[in-house]
Amino acid sequence: MSPRNSGIPNSWKHPDANCDPKAYELPKSSADDGSLWHVPPYEALSYTWGSPDNQEYISVINPVDPLRTPSWVRIRANLATALRHLRYPDRQRMLWVDAISINQADNNERGQRVKRMSRIYPLSKNVIIWIGHEYEDSTHALETLRYFSEQVEYIISHRWADAPNAQERDWWRDGHTLPYDERTWNSISSLLNRPWFERVWVLQEALSCNRVLLQCGRDSIPWVNVRRALLVLRQKTTILPPRIRERLFPYARGLMAPPLASSEHLLLWTQNQKCTEPQDKIYGILGLLDPRIVAKIEVDYSIPVWETYSRLVLAENEVYQKLNMLNHCNITTRCEGYPSRVPNWDITIEGANTGYLSTRRFYASARSSAAAKLIEPTSHLQVTGRRVATICRVSHNLTGTFAEVIDEIFDWAPKEPRHDIYVSGELRIDAFVEVLVRGRTSDRARGDNPCPSIRRLSELLTQAIASTELDDEVALAFKDCFFVNECLFTTKEGYLGVSAKGLREDDEVSVILGCDFPMILRPRNFNEYEVVGSCFVHGLMLGEALKPPLEPPWKNVLPVARGWALSYFINSQTDELLKSDPRLGPLPAGWEEVTTLDPFLPPFVFKNKENGQISMNDPRMSAEAIKQRDIVLETLELT
């Protein structure tokens, strides 16, 4: 794929004519050959159950003894309609349908089949997504999505551009207005609001197989075209009708499943989706999670919901030595009786900050290994970290775009933009604008990045403050600055940040080992803390709390590889680029950095040469190694 705005056409051909195409072809998965698994060819149906009020009976005939009196099975109307549309008039068609193949009244059988979903759909000859009858101009919507998908391309490094041989070469551009009339937008909106797009379970059914067809009435379209179209449309936030943007923005998170994005993307996605049982916010995506995590989770509908969610937190700690699930804890969404250290995935976390929770863009704990364990019988989680700052001022609850909350932004902006210095040494206005856009600047990303620089954002905001007016250029530059029930805050130490509502003065900002975002904790009893939520704090997002200061001329940059923003270091004078942190020295004896194609791990991991252990965590960032650099760590109990 060519750099943005380069004018170089994209192509599927390798730029090196001597390169063997087989060298970059994906290996065939064993799941693609059903004969290896001794299963007959079948197709799997992905659909929604619909209302239990309208039901029909279907006859089940034993093919070995067709003259025997048939059995009768009761199914819901939506499935009955799907079967009528999918049946062949002149030959048999073998379908796997959950409502028929699984006894839904038996929790034990349901639990066993849930873990088998990761095989049932991939082993099928095809997956058919049934979204219902043709109505509300659905044919036009599918034709529109198909044509748009043929003009654009989206790859796993989160880049999108014009497709090779595209007829409409500018349609991929974020600000390019599409020639769609009200009828077209209405048809797409209606399609996206069909029940299939609202349910949790169906996503893993759609993403677990490469041979998927979406069918609406008699019309059909390859699912890969729908997925590509929605992922690129999602980037056009400034030109989408509000009803499309509000539905597409949260839904597209699920389309960016690994390796496109993290498990956090999926979990944020489930919070906006519907399911019958709250445990299904986890069980319904097990087929898309790392098998090493899935192996630690027992499907059990008899245990309390919070314990199901807790098991995912503990599984992440056990498998990865990470605690990133804590990022999803929030005091305003916690259910009564939940421990504060357990996220509630059954309730949506409102806030623009959820966007950065779902990206691998920051490393507040600097790729450190979590040092955590469960304390019984209190169910407290003992963690290791550093308490960094105490909140001393909190803004009003903010909701709206940059333009809509401009008065509050002006109130919080530095009074002397060219002179006020931030706690980490740069101008406070630079820190302020990065907090407003949550780090979405070209300074953080290296290479092909459309975001404005911190310097440009600071210049524009300084001009707006001086003139007390907001022009279109400023509003466009700050398009990534928007709030949904969030608060700005400052600390006694001089830090500036943003978090979801619910925080208050004297809450503490802490960096916990293994957790990529700073956490706001509320002191309770001695050494016990209530989890308030995660936050974005300028000067704490790249491991600053756990490492010595990064001396000039070195700066931290985050080029993206395979969906992971990796921490590199650039010499601003010579442009020299280092992958290894110059503050940490060489790796310990017996360790080496290696590459991996594991979709659930970053492209570069650490390998113990003696036992073959693979870790995403830097062995130089263990609790013991951090303490040896005179960084004071504490043991904290999260209630």
Side-chain angles (χ1 to χ4, degrees), residues 296-418:
K296 304 294 181 183
I297 298 176
E298 179 183 356
V299 178
D300 186 352
Y301 286 93
S302 67
I303 64 175
V305 175
W306 75 262
E307 191 170 331
T308 299
Y309 296 166
S310 175
R311 287 181 178 182
L312 184 57
V313 176
L314 299 177
E316 182 196 32
N317 178 48
E318 185 176 353
V319 173
Y320 300 143
Q321 291 76 55
K322 286 295 184 185
L323 292 172
N324 284 323
M325 298 301 167
L326 294 180
N327 296 327
H328 301 272
C329 296
N330 186 274
I331 194 171
T332 62
T333 60
R334 187 189 319 147
C335 285
E336 185 177 353
Y338 270 48
S340 72
R341 52 95 185 166
V342 176
N344 181 10
W345 278 294
D346 196 33
I347 298 178
T348 302
I349 297 179
E350 292 185 320
N353 63 316
T354 59
Y356 67 74
L357 290 181
S358 59
T359 59
R360 304 163 172 133
R361 189 176 293 158
F362 301 104
Y363 299 95
S365 64
R367 293 190 76 171
S368 60
S369 296
K373 65 179 180 180
L374 189 66
I375 304 297
E376 297 290 8
T378 61
S379 290
H380 292 177
L381 185 65
Q382 185 183 90
V383 301
T384 301
R386 181 184 172 196
R387 293 184 297 152
V388 180
T390 302
I391 293 175
C392 63
R393 183 189 175 200
V394 180
S395 75
H396 299 300
N397 184 26
L398 301 178
T399 295
T401 64
F402 179 80
E404 291 168 338
V405 298
I406 191 64
D407 290 339
E408 191 79 8
I409 290 174
F410 282 174
D411 181 55
W412 275 72
K415 305 309 176 188
E416 297 289 338
R418 293 181 175 84

Side-chain angles (χ1 to χ4, degrees), residues 96 102 113-122 201 204:
W96 186 91
I102 301 175
R113 293 299 181 99
V114 164
K115 285 207 169 183
R116 293 180 61 187
M117 289 295 187
S118 61
R119 290 297 183 196
I120 290 172
Y121 284 85
W201 278 98
Q204 67 175 354

Side-chain angles (χ1 to χ4, degrees), residues 521-566:
L521 305 179
R522 184 164 295 163
R524 290 305 186 191
N525 299 324
F526 174 74
N527 210 38
E528 293 183 355
Y529 296 84
E530 179 183 11
V531 178
V532 177
S534 60
C535 58
F536 182 101
V537 180
H538 181 81
L540 293 180
M541 303 306 297
L542 297 171
E544 296 93 337
L546 301 178
K547 295 179 181 180
L550 187 60
E551 298 294 337
W554 292 102
K555 291 185 177 180
N556 206 309
V557 293
L558 297 166
V560 175
R562 247 183 41 217
W564 292 78
L566 304 173

Side-chain angles (χ1 to χ4, degrees), residues 89-151:
D90 55 351
R91 63 188 187 277
Q92 290 185 346
R93 188 173 193 178
M94 185 176 291
L95 297 172
W96 186 91
V97 182
D98 62 352
I100 298 174
S101 303
I102 301 175
N103 181 2
Q104 301 295 329
D106 186 335
N107 280 342
N108 289 331
E109 181 175 339
R110 286 173 64 199
Q112 294 171 4
R113 293 299 181 99
V114 164
K115 285 207 169 183
R116 293 180 61 187
M117 289 295 187
S118 61
R119 290 297 183 196
I120 290 172
Y121 284 85
L123 285 172
S124 66
K125 184 175 65 174
N126 297 296
V127 173
I128 303 163
I129 298 171
W130 171 257
I131 64 171
H133 284 291
E134 176 190 346
Y135 65 88
E136 293 185 350
D137 225 357
S138 58
T139 298
H140 181 57
L142 294 180
E143 290 172 348
T144 300
L145 292 177
R146 182 195 294 271
Y147 186 72
F148 181 79
S149 71
E150 293 168 349
Q151 313 310 311

